[in-house]
Amino acid sequence: MLTQFVEYESNVLFRTLRDLGDKSSQHYVILNKTFSVIYCNELYTNLTNYNFEDITHTTFRQLLQHIKCNMHMEEVEQHLRKGKMTKAQVIHNRKSGTSFYAELACIPLQNKDNETEFVLVCIQDITYTQLYDFVDRLEKDMFTAIQNEVPFIEKLQLVCNSIDYSFYPCSFTSIILKHNGALHMVQSSAFYPEKPVHYSLEQWAEIDYYTQLIEREHMTVGKDLNQMPIHLLHKQLALKNELTNYAFVPIRQADGEALGVMTIYYSEQQDDTKIYSLFIEKILNLITLAHSYEQKQKQIYQLAYTDMRTGMMNRYRFIERLTELDVVDGVIQIIEPSEFSRIVELYGRDTGEELLKQLYERILHSGMNNQALIGRFSSELIVLYMEREIIETVEGNAEDFLNGLVVQSFIIDGKEFYITLKCGSAVLQHKKAVQDAIRYAENALSEAKRVSGTCVKFYSRENDTQLEKEFIILKHLIEALKNKEMTAYFQPKVALGKARITSMEALARWISPVLGFVSPAEFIPIAERAGLIRQIDLQIIEQVLQWFQQRQYEGKRIVPIAINISPEHFYHPHFVEELEQLIKKYYADPNYLIIEITENLGLVDVERAQKIIQDLFLRGLKTSVDDFGIGHSSLSYLQKLMFAELKIDRSFTSRIHEVGTFVIVQSIIQIAYNLEIDVVAEGIETQEQADILYQLGCKSGQGYLFYKPMSLEEIEEKNIL
Ligand code: C2E
Ligand code: MG
Ligand code: MG
């Protein structure tokens, strides 16, 4: 090779340059003043596979593909002409057709006329560092994108663009990803700026091929692009740009699940595929990272906005959705299954959740779901927003609508539940009034809860003051229970016709040091809602038992005493045991206790009520069904539940002279008689009422006509028994 340079040997400049090149122990070439190659060292021929003969007198520019760092080769040459040392990054070809990233350090040598005579170009293969830098940069960009919550699609495009600009010189990259069961594609904007960068592949005839690519285990590389059944647009684009090589790289999650495929079309084959594979792996990791982050984001979004148990949107999302609506003109409804807390208490949270879920599904299938927003308001409440148009069809029959939702029983874990619904409703006509409307609907709901059975209440101003009043009562009630302010009063039940006292009913009386006398009709429902009723009942029971003990000790007559037990307490898991323990504590005779429970209780779960009544019966306690006739339930369950006594509600007694009432009461008494259940008429105020009832076969009565509820002192003083 050297012999061919003899003509230059004499040239001192040339020799100087060559010595310099040799000393650098780098790959180098020497260019003449037209920047054609006139010499290269062996290291260079090893790196590029060119023989000197191949490249002699070709311009150096022809050996390069692409220049980086914003400088054009012309610019580099200009610098060199001026005698300036210049550095540049380029993509250098190899004889084999492959290329590598190279960093050039160009040292020009000028003659005495200040013309550049020779240029020493030292060449360093920087492919590895270049790729390393690239992945480093991409990694940084990806983290920034994640931090800035850039949409997932844009993150994928970032990968495609980066590959096209910096990873594979001259390439076209696209990523095809499975998403919600469909295939979507994102492509780099480098070659196709006018086309959309993201679209669904549903319409593509080649979809099967892509689906198959995704499932492949390993990367596929090749150069017969023409033969590949890829999408025509891509094929045309690649061929037009002479990107005839391809790499199909399956994208898989850490657990091996196939996510998609990355396709890269590029101009020449890389011979160091190992390096590229390594970096591609890193790129894939970034894609899967972005993907799992996206999934996490979705989960977080779901967690933040959806009630996972029932699938409803949660309260925050509901309010947000409302404020997103263009026009707001409708009604807010807050709905609660009346028996929700009791069901949760008895069967656990899961049953309660399932109940709400089923209720939600019924609302969804009620046909109004597309015009209504439905959300979970709190653990037991569903909130609904309905537009005026729907309400107009529903209004007036709001109660019918709710009844329709619960007319069939709910089956949860094989158990059958009949429930009723309470609903508070308020008008909403402006987005800014959402919070107010919700508060109003909540107030109306509290009103609705005062009524038994399914009930809808619309908000009115009075609700506000009522609510305030309730709140004050509750506050003092908590104190009252601590201070044992509750006392038992007794109202006798008498044998009609004989006016003899057969038993008495214990009724809670509360004279608050602050509020004065508060009627049980007021504080009992509040205590029930606040979960305080059990304490009241227990305090009353203890007073009754103490009284028994005292009377027995004094050798006085005792009569059976009825105690009122609210359903919440009745269904409490330890109700029967606790009662039994108390009875034992006072050495009382259980035969002298009657448990009064309201008729609505059978609705929750007849089977369970039956079991508790049976348990009470086995312990010698009788049960009485209170306020019979006003509730939801029918005579039919009287047969199932072993009540010893039935108390006809006061509302029947007061209207006993009306024919309709008379007939109902008559049949109640008959059925009770057949079932061997004693009948007591409540609230007898006149002799006429007493007479009629007696004639109908009612053996016992209770009411102001005979006795009002009395304190123990009064009973003792007047020696009533
Ligand atoms: P209830 O068990 O049906 O009791 C009968 C109610 O009617 C009592 O009201 C009684 O004072 C009233 N009453 C009796 N005879 C007449 C009458 O001739 N005319 C009129 N107008 N009223 C009469 P009270 O004491 O206000 O109790 C109301 C409700 O509060 C009770 O209805 C009962 O459900 C509940 N309650 C009372 N004490 C307790 C208790 O210790 N525990 C529980 N869980 N509930 C209780
Ligand atoms: Mg009662
Ligand atoms: Mg009653």
Side-chain angles (χ1 to χ4, degrees), residues 131-145:
L131 296 184
Y132 203 89
D133 278 0
F134 157 76
V135 176
D136 227 27
R137 233 173 315 138
L138 180 60
E139 222 166 57
K140 253 186 228 138
D141 290 348
M142 184 61 87
F143 289 141
T144 316

Side-chain angles (χ1 to χ4, degrees), residues 505 564 596 598 626-628 647-650 682 702:
E505 175 179 10
N564 290 288
E596 277 190 26
T598 67
D626 204 350
D627 306 334
F628 192 85
K647 295 179 82 178
I648 296 175
D649 191 65
R650 200 173 73 214
E682 287 187 295
Q702 194 183 11

Side-chain angles (χ1 to χ4, degrees), residues 4 23 66 94 113 136 139 147 179 193 219 256 291-292 359 401 486 513 516 518 538 567 600 640 668 676 694 697 700:
Q4 293 174 30
K23 263 192 212 133
H66 191 59
R94 288 193 175 95
D113 302 324
D136 227 27
E139 222 166 57
Q147 228 166 32
H179 183 63
M219 170 158 125
H291 181 265
S292 55
L359 181 60
F401 169 70
M486 221 47 81
V518 187
L538 291 174
N600 266 336
K640 295 188 188 154
I668 292 176
E676 293 176 18
Y694 186 59
S700 308

Side-chain angles (χ1 to χ4, degrees), residues 491 493 505-507 562-565 595-598 624-627 645 647 682 702:
Q491 186 182 32
K493 296 179 190 174
E505 175 179 10
L507 293 159
I563 309 155
N564 290 288
I565 299 292
I595 304 298
E596 277 190 26
I597 39 190
T598 67
S624 165
V625 54
D626 204 350
D627 306 334
E645 179 186 89
K647 295 179 82 178
E682 287 187 295
Q702 194 183 11

Side-chain angles (χ1 to χ4, degrees), residues 1 31 142 215 243 260 360 449 553 693:
M1 192 191 295
L31 312 179
M142 184 61 87
E215 296 304 329
L243 308 175
Y360 168 56
K449 281 161 121 177
Y553 179 74
L693 285 157

